[in-house]
């Protein structure tokens, strides 16, 4: 990973803590994952290759930050409670006070003692803490799909139990229209995307993403929860839907292998 990207991700991790620390702990509503990450990226904008879009439609830098935030959880500094939102712990607040220097903060997050690390090691500490989390996970070919007895790695961040494309294309594919249990996607651990390929007739379609078999949690345009319907005009033929739970966005491709 480029040095600038490592440093930027480190600064955004600090920004995540600062954003959460500014929240009122007595508030009834906790700040959502999307709001936290968006605020961090606003404070430290994406530059260069960080702004490149991945297959999921998310920017490379956004995905890196989302994955790297798992380090904050492992350090005991933040909690992620799904629909309940994110929050900072007492340890996370102390870390902000105890480590005003970002390199020291990252060293502590990675289980190292900042005071004992010579200045020459600072970049290595940051890279060691972030490089694995910031890269899109790679999995050997034998781990693609389900294999009896294979031990698969855990996703880098929590995933729903089920993801469904629910819209007016259901009846064209032998399902009910707008059924939150109908057109189910399959999770691919190699790139942490949910995927569905269907032979869809030509037409104009509207749809949303429904999670866990109901409309309680659903995402529409631009990954907004309870957002407007997504729209597309399809010329007919095989079409692949890819859903990224890190950004709650959907992209479609005529051929996912292309």
């Amino acid at each position: 990973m480029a040095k600038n990207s490592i440093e930027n991700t480190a600064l955004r991790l600090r920004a995540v803590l600062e954003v959460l620390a500014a929240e009122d702990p007595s508030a009834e509503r906790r700040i959502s994952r999307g709001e936290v990450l968006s605020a961090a990226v606003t404070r430290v904008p994406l530059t260069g290759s960080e702004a490149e879009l991945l297959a999921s439609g998310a920017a490379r830098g956004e995905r890196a930050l989302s994955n790297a935030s798992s380090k904050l959880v492992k350090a005991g500094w933040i909690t992620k409670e799904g629909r309940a939102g994110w929050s900072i712990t007492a340890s996370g607040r102390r870390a902000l006070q105890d480590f005003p220097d970002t390199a020291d903060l990252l060293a502590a997050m990675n289980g190292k003692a900042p005071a004992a690390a010579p200045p020459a090691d600072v970049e290595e500490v940051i890279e060691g803490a972030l490089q694995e989390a910031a890269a899109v996970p790679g999995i050997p070919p034998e781990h693609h799909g389900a294999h009896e007895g294979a031990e698969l790695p855990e996703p880098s961040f929590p995933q729903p139990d089920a993801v469904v494309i629910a819209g007016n294309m259901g009846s064209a594919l032998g399902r009910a229209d707008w059924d939150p249990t109908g057109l189910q996607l399959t999770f691919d651990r190699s790139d942490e995307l949910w995927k569905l390929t269907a032979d869809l007739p030509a037409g104009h379609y509207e749809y949303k993403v429904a999670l866990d078999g109901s409309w309680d949690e659903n995402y529409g345009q631009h990954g907004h929860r309870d957002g407007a319907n997504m729209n597309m005009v399809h010329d007919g033929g095989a079409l692949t839907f890819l859903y990224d739970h890190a950004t709650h966005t959907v992209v479609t491709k005529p051929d996912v292998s292309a």
Side-chain angles (χ1 to χ4, degrees):
M1 180 187 299
K3 179 179 179 180
N4 286 345
S5 296
I6 294 173
E7 293 174 346
N8 288 341
T9 306
L11 292 172
R12 293 182 193 117
L13 286 174
R14 171 178 281 280
V16 167
L17 291 176
E18 292 173 342
V19 168
L20 292 175
E23 290 292 298
D24 180 358
S26 64
E28 182 176 346
R29 176 187 177 276
R30 291 183 179 177
I31 188 170
S32 72
R33 171 202 162 282
E35 291 170 323
V36 175
L37 299 182
S38 177
V41 170
T42 298
R43 293 189 183 196
V44 186
L46 303 175
T47 62
S49 63
E50 294 180 323
E52 294 175 358
L53 297 182
L54 302 173
S56 64
R60 187 180 304 277
E62 292 174 332
R63 187 61 179 266
L65 176 60
S66 177
N67 288 350
S69 66
S70 64
K71 296 281 187 177
L72 297 175
V73 177
K74 291 178 181 178
W77 292 353
I78 71 171
T79 60
K80 300 179 181 180
E81 299 183 25
R83 299 176 186 176
W86 289 16
S87 61
I88 191 170
T89 66
S91 296
R93 293 181 185 276
R94 286 196 301 271
L96 277 176
Q97 296 176 353
D98 293 344
F99 309 111
D101 182 83
T102 300
D104 288 348
L105 181 75
L106 268 290
M109 182 190 76
N110 206 35
K112 298 181 181 293
D121 288 344
V122 168
E123 183 177 337
E124 294 180 10
V125 169
I126 295 176
E127 186 166 0
L130 296 179
Q131 191 167 27
E132 178 183 356
V136 176
I139 296 177
E142 61 269 19
H143 283 165
H144 288 239
H147 296 270
E148 186 176 356
E151 184 178 351
L152 298 178
E154 290 297 321
S156 63
F157 56 95
Q159 298 287 337
D161 292 330
V163 174
V164 166
I165 294 293
N168 63 351
M169 73 281 287
S171 55
L173 298 173
R175 300 278 187 171
D177 286 342
W178 299 102
D179 181 2
T181 65
L183 301 174
Q184 297 196 21
L185 283 67
T186 300
F187 185 61
D188 187 340
R189 292 177 183 267
S190 67
D191 53 14
E192 299 198 322
L193 297 178
W194 292 79
K195 302 175 181 180
L196 170 69
T197 299
D199 191 0
L200 195 62
H204 174 265
Y205 296 99
E206 296 186 22
Y207 63 96
K208 299 178 78 172
V209 172
L211 303 187
D212 298 332
S214 78
W215 288 107
D216 290 347
E217 185 173 357
N218 68 86
Y219 298 94
Q221 287 186 18
H222 310 301
H224 292 163
R225 184 163 181 172
D226 299 319
N229 294 342
M230 288 175 273
N231 290 269
M232 70 173 182
V233 176
H234 183 50
D235 293 334
L239 185 71
T240 297
F241 296 85
L242 302 100
Y243 168 73
D244 183 358
H245 194 55
T247 60
H248 306 306
T249 54
V250 176
V251 295
T252 57
K253 291 187 174 185
D255 184 354
V256 72
S257 63

